[in-house]
Amino acid sequence: MRTYLCGEMRTYLLSTVAAAALLAATSAHAQDATWLLNPGSGSFNTATNWNPAVVPTNTAIFGASNTTSISFQPFTTTSIGTLQFNPDAPAYTFATAPNLSTSISVTGAGIVNNSSNAPTFIVGNQANIFFRGSSTAGNATIITNAGGLTGFVDSASGGNARFITLAGGAFDMTSLSSGVMTAGSIEGAGTFSLGSNQLIVGSNNLSTTVSGVIRGTGGALVKVGSGTLTLGRQQQLYGGHRRRRCP
């Protein structure tokens, strides 16, 4: 048995408490949970809607459910690593609270869809969704309304997602560190900010129109796929690898 001096004992206890707190924090950040078949509400941030009864921070798993319209809690940041949709998942819709400050941070694999139904995310006024790390938007449809923001940082990607950015809404990849990313398609009257990065669009083969602004310094928009991308001022990019420099 070791005998501790008072100072040693205090240091030991503080170290033990700190280690326990770190372990608890690490465990909390690694929590997986599955959305229930019959949840009590459509709130993502209500623990009793999940199995186990805890709001997931690592992987949120979605399968069959009678509640497919899900909302995020306002005045807070919901941080989630992966949103995983199993083969039996119906078409889910996720939305922020109307006109209330709401933040969503996707930090892990991002949106992983193993079903035949693409999820939809609606980013409203005073709300934002950020894809961080190496996360991807998968094949989701992301609608950004006026006053909303969809952003990408680090080496995140738009994957094969459809981005509908309405007038007053913003799509921003200026803080991307990888220099290039993909998106299935872009459309709408909002603002698309590329910065100095390259955006490769068209992999979902949809024909879309961007009547808003595409801007950046040294950035580039590259069109691929079989769909038609119609830009403002009647500029058009068809299938193949066409490039348009941002002004």
Side-chain angles (χ1 to χ4, degrees), residues 50-245:
W50 300 90
N51 181 28
V54 62
V55 178
T57 53
N58 186 45
T59 302
I61 303 167
F62 299 91
S65 179
N66 293 320
T67 301
T68 58
S69 294
I70 299 175
S71 61
F72 293 97
Q73 180 177 337
F75 308 115
T76 188
T77 296
T78 298
S79 182
I80 184 67
T82 303
L83 295 119
Q84 175 183 307
F85 298 87
N86 290 342
D88 60 342
Y92 279 88
T93 298
F94 300 81
T96 61
N99 303 315
L100 295 177
S101 177
T102 308
S103 296
I104 306 158
S105 181
V106 184
T107 60
I111 298 172
V112 178
N113 185 19
N114 298 311
S115 78
S116 58
N117 300 297
T120 298
F121 290 78
I122 302 173
V123 183
N125 182 36
Q126 301 185 45
N128 61 73
I129 182 170
F130 272 91
F131 291 87
R132 305 177 185 277
S134 57
S135 63
T136 176
N139 70 337
T141 295
I142 299 181
I143 302 170
T144 308
N145 290 311
L149 168 65
T150 295
F152 298 86
V153 299
D154 306 320
S155 57
S157 171
N160 197 42
R162 179 183 183 183
F163 294 94
I164 304 172
T165 305
L166 303 178
F171 171 104
D172 192 300
M173 51 181 279
T174 58
S175 297
L176 204 66
S177 62
S178 58
V180 60
M181 78 170 211
T182 63
S185 62
I186 57 174
E187 61 188 280
T191 300
F192 297 84
S193 299
L194 277 56
S196 60
N197 303 298
Q198 183 182 98
L199 177 62
I200 303 172
V201 300
S203 56
N204 61 12
N205 298 319
L206 293 178
S207 291
T208 62
T209 298
V210 174
S211 57
V213 177
I214 300 176
R215 66 186 183 188
T217 302
L221 178 67
V222 179
K223 173 66 174 66
V224 299
S226 59
T228 300
L229 173 58
T230 303
L231 303 178
R233 301 177 185 175
Q234 301 303 311
Q235 298 178 65
Q236 293 183 329
L237 295 175
Y238 297 95
H241 292 70
R242 301 294 183 89
R243 182 188 300 267
R244 178 179 185 267
R245 285 283 173 188

Side-chain angles (χ1 to χ4, degrees), residues 23-50:
L23 179 60
T26 301
S27 299
H29 284 297
Q31 182 63 56
D32 299 344
T34 301
W35 186 252
L36 295 177
L37 175 64
N38 293 298
S41 71
S43 172
F44 184 99
N45 304 87
T46 298
T48 54
N49 290 332
W50 300 90

